[in-house]
Amino acid sequence: MIKKLKNQGLDAPWTPIYLIVVGILLALLNGISLKSFWNWLGLIVGLLMIASGVIFIHTSIWGKRTIWQNIVDDLGIPSDSQVLDLGTGHGLVLMDFARQLKAPGQATGIDLWRSRDQSANSQATTENLIKEAGLQDVAHVTTGDMRDLPFADDQFDFVTASLSIHNVKPAADREKCLQEAVRVLKPGGQLIIADLIFVPTEYVKALKDLNVTLGPVKNTGFNGWWGGPWMSTFELTATKDK
Ligand SMILES: C[S@@+](CC[C@H](N)C(=O)[O-])C[C@H]1O[C@@H](n2cnc3c(N)ncnc32)[C@H](O)[C@@H]1O
């Protein structure tokens, strides 16, 4: 687990730490003397917070990985594809796609490397992980902002965004990310997003104004629970019109 944490980083690292630490304190303080209704309530809330933190860590380390492995398996990615991963972090999705490629196929990851969004987040870390995986011929990363992509129009066969666009604020900037993602896609290329509650509402609404055909929105279930079903991961695919 420690190796997985080091290689993948933990998403929004302060959230599960807060849930688990406060949960343990609440459970201990109230569990010592179960004299009143409030002690029982404090104990139950504490235990629920611990469970929520553990589920969050499961999703960050294993659940998200399973979601993307299923997406990659279903896509059937041609080996010469050009792939762009927005907010690549430790390159989990970048490398899953890169494993399907053969040069001149290439997966590019772009990020601003924000540690509050993913622990130990840096370009050097992800470059080392790419090298360790032996994928340096088919994967590379660059520093840049997904609101203003440093790429020409119509360049990529696949653009992916894994739990990254929701980190951009305000909503108008998230819309800019979607516009940029579609701009750099080749006609016929696919945008694949896995993200939080903004997907079924805000992203679908924004994408309807762009020249894409939308696929269905899918709730990814337990593997995408960020603490519980109230914070689920949704999957969305859009194909750029020809
Ligand atoms: C929760 S992490 C997810 C990382 C990775 N996609 C994954 O699924 O493991 C969100 C990532 O988005 C990046 N990010 C946030 N805002 C960004 C922006 N405006 N442009 C590029 N990357 C950004 C963060 O630095 C972080 O690496």
Side-chain angles (χ1 to χ4, degrees):
M1 173 165 165
I2 299 295
K3 189 164 187 281
K4 284 237 176 234
L5 267 177
K6 198 170 152 261
N7 283 354
Q8 286 181 215
L10 186 62
D11 297 304
W14 289 111
T15 306
I17 290 171
Y18 170 83
L19 284 168
I20 291 174
V21 170
V22 176
I24 288 174
L25 285 176
L26 261 182
L28 281 179
L29 288 175
N30 289 286
I32 287 171
S33 62
L34 289 170
K35 284 185 188 142
S36 70
F37 164 79
W38 297 109
N39 289 138
W40 280 101
L41 187 65
L43 175 66
I44 290 166
V45 171
L47 292 176
L48 285 176
M49 284 179 81
I50 297 169
S52 189
V54 171
I55 291 173
F56 190 106
I57 293 172
H58 166 269
T59 297
S60 186
I61 304 297
W62 295 281
K64 183 174 66 172
R65 167 148 236 139
T66 306
I67 291 170
W68 278 99
Q69 278 169 349
N70 290 340
I71 291 173
V72 168
D73 286 350
D74 289 350
L75 276 174
I77 301 158
S79 63
D80 60 349
S81 299
Q82 298 301 311
V83 180
L84 174 65
D85 184 34
L86 304 175
T88 200
H90 284 65
L92 175 96
V93 175
L94 178 81
M95 288 192 271
D96 272 350
F97 274 73
R99 284 187 191 93
Q100 311 296 314
L101 304 180
K102 227 173 133 192
Q106 187 68 212
T108 304
I110 190 166
D111 206 300
L112 291 176
W113 318 109
R114 299 181 349 155
S115 291
R116 66 165 176 249
D117 295 341
Q118 193 166 73
S119 62
N121 204 0
S122 78
Q123 179 163 352
T125 301
T126 308
E127 279 170 348
N128 280 336
L129 291 169
I130 290 171
K131 239 185 242 162
E132 273 174 28
L135 292 168
Q136 60 273 32
D137 290 344
V138 283
H140 72 281
V141 289
T142 183
T143 296
D145 193 327
M146 60 176 130
R147 290 170 289 195
D148 185 16
L149 293 174
F151 305 111
D153 297 355
D154 305 340
Q155 205 179 313
F156 294 98
D157 300 286
F158 297 95
V159 175
T160 56
S162 170
L163 283 310
S164 52
I165 299 177
H166 76 271
N167 287 127
V168 177
K169 293 173 183 80
D173 283 14
R174 291 193 287 277
E175 193 173 338
K176 189 84 186 71
C177 295
L178 296 170
Q179 287 164 357
E180 281 290 272
V182 173
R183 176 182 71 74
V184 300
L185 263 182
K186 290 179 186 170
Q190 275 184 284
L191 170 64
I192 306 127
I193 299 173
D195 212 327
L196 304 179
I197 36 176
F198 301 111
V199 175
T201 51
E202 186 185 302
Y203 296 179
V204 165
K205 188 165 171 276
L207 285 166
K208 275 185 178 156
D209 291 336
L210 303 173
N211 54 333
V212 294
T213 303
L214 285 170
V217 175
K218 196 174 134 196
N219 186 328
T220 58
F222 177 71
N223 279 325
W225 284 6
W226 297 94
W230 52 85
M231 194 56 88
S232 290
T233 303
F234 296 88
E235 200 185 299
L236 168 71
T237 305
T239 307
K240 185 167 176 178
D241 297 334
K242 291 192 177 167

